[in-house]
Amino acid sequence: MPVTPESILILGGTKEAAELAGRLTELGVSRVVTSLAGRTAAPEMPAGETRIGGFGGAQGLADFLRSEAFELLVDATHPFADTISHNAVEAAVISGIPLMTLRRPAWTAVDGDHWFPVASVDEACTAIPPSARVFLALGRQHIDGFAQRTDVHFIARMVDPPERPLPFRSCDLVIGKPSADPGTEAELLRTYGVTHIVCRNSGGQGAYAKLIAARDLGLPVIMIERPDTPDDRSYPTVDALLADIT
Ligand SMILES: NC(=O)c1ccc[n+]([C@@H]2O[C@H](COP(=O)([O-])OP(=O)(O)OC[C@H]3O[C@@H](n4cnc5c(N)ncnc54)[C@H](OP(=O)(O)O)[C@@H]3O)[C@@H](O)[C@H]2O)c1
C-alpha cells in the first residue's frame, strides 16, 4: 500500500480541488493547504488551510514547497489555467517534490453533435459565419475579442451583471448560471433564436446541459479546445487520485 503524504499543497480554484481537500482532511492527512489565485471576491473556503495569491512563477512555487516542507503537490486547477499548470511541472522539478494532476476529462462529441473544434478564442471568432446569432458561453474576460464581429448578434450569459456595458454592437445579456436541465437550456436557445454556440471544452457536468440542448436542436457548436497542458501523472477523478496515495 502507498504511503500517504502528511503534508499536501493543492493548487485549487475548482470544485474537484475542494472535494479533494475535503476527502484528504477526512482521511486524517495532517496538513492540507489549498492555494487560490485570488480572482474571486468571496471564494468558498475548502476544508483544511487556505492561502491566496500567486507565488511569483515556478521558482516562487518551488521555494514555497520547500520552505513549508510539503511532501506532495497536486495541480487541481481548471483545464484552461495553463500558466499555473506549467509552473507546477517546473516547480516540481526544481524542488524535487512529486506532482500529481487532477484534471476532469474533456468532453467528446457523440452522434448528433455538430462541433467545430478551434484552438483559441481568436479562431472561434473567425469561425462564426456572417450574420449569425451566437450564444457565447464564456467568462467576461474572454469576450472582448468578439466585438470586432459587428455583423453578429451575441447572446452572452453571465453569473453576475458586468461592471461595464458589453462591447458588442448587437447583443442580449442573460444573467444567471447554466442550468443542469437540457430542456431549460434548449428553451433559452430557442427564445433568443440562437444559430451557433461558442464555448470552451471545460469538461465536467456543470455546463454540459447546453451541449445536449444544442444536439437536440441540431445547433452547431464552435468548441474552443484545451490548451496544451502537461499530462504526466494525471488523474480524471478524485477517487482515482486518492487510490494512488492512500
Ligand atoms: N481559467 C479558467 O477558465 C478558470 C475557471 C475556473 C476556475 N479557475 C481557477 O482560477 C485560477 C486562475 O485561473 P487562470 O486561468 O487565471 O490561471 P493561469 O492563467 O494559469 O495563472 C496565472 C497566474 O495566476 C496565479 N495562479 C493561478 N492559479 C493559482 C492558484 N491556484 N494558486 C496561486 N496562484 C495561482 C499564478 O501566479 P504566479 O505565477 O505569481 O504564481 C499564475 O502564474 C486557477 O486557480 C483556476 O483553477 C480558472
Side-chain angles (χ1 to χ4, degrees):
M1 176 174 305
V3 178
T4 306
E6 276 310 313
S7 181
I8 301 178
L9 178 65
I10 301 170
L11 302 173
T14 58
K15 195 166 68 54
E16 293 86 349
E19 184 190 340
L20 178 64
R23 297 275 297 277
L24 288 168
T25 307
E26 278 166 25
L27 285 166
V29 172
S30 308
R31 189 162 184 233
V32 178
V33 180
T34 300
S35 175
L36 302 174
R39 305 270 191 280
T40 311
E44 277 181 35
M45 288 299 168
E49 294 173 44
T50 306
R51 67 160 299 286
I52 296 181
F55 298 94
Q59 183 65 56
L61 175 54
D63 292 345
F64 182 76
L65 287 164
R66 274 214 208 100
S67 66
E68 300 272 328
F70 285 103
E71 293 171 19
L72 176 66
L73 172 64
V74 178
D75 173 12
T77 56
H78 190 271
F80 279 82
D82 57 332
T83 304
I84 189 72
S85 291
H86 282 96
N87 286 353
V89 172
E90 210 179 316
V93 172
I94 298 170
S95 65
I97 290 162
L99 166 68
M100 297 167 96
T101 302
L102 176 58
R103 187 155 295 130
R104 63 178 93 132
W107 295 313
T108 49
V110 299
D111 274 356
D113 284 333
H114 305 288
W115 292 5
F116 299 88
V118 293
S120 65
V121 166
D122 286 350
E123 274 190 28
C125 185
T126 308
I128 299 170
S131 306
R133 293 180 63 86
V134 173
F135 184 68
L136 270 189
L138 297 173
R140 176 69 185 85
Q141 66 274 35
H142 305 293
I143 66 174
D144 283 353
F146 292 91
Q148 58 182 287
R149 292 299 305 268
T150 51
D151 61 316
V152 171
H153 180 85
F154 291 101
I155 298 97
R157 174 164 60 194
M158 295 180 182
V159 178
D160 300 309
E163 285 167 6
R164 55 195 164 89
L166 297 180
F168 308 123
R169 183 165 175 186
S170 171
C171 70
D172 289 298
L173 174 63
V174 180
I175 300 295
K177 289 187 177 170
S179 170
D181 172 33
T184 306
E185 294 291 76
E187 185 55 36
L188 179 84
L189 297 172
R190 264 196 302 262
T191 300
Y192 287 95
V194 169
T195 61
H196 294 75
I197 294 177
V198 172
C199 69
R200 301 188 303 173
N201 195 335
S202 299
Q205 286 307 307
Y208 190 64
K210 66 174 178 289
L211 296 172
I212 301 174
R215 186 184 309 144
D216 292 345
L217 297 174
L219 290 182
V221 176
I222 298 169
M223 182 67 79
I224 303 169
E225 293 300 347
R226 295 177 173 198
D228 192 16
T229 43
D231 250 357
D232 287 355
R233 285 199 87 188
S234 180
Y235 297 82
T237 61
V238 170
D239 281 337
L241 188 146
L242 285 176
D244 246 11
I245 57 169
T246 54

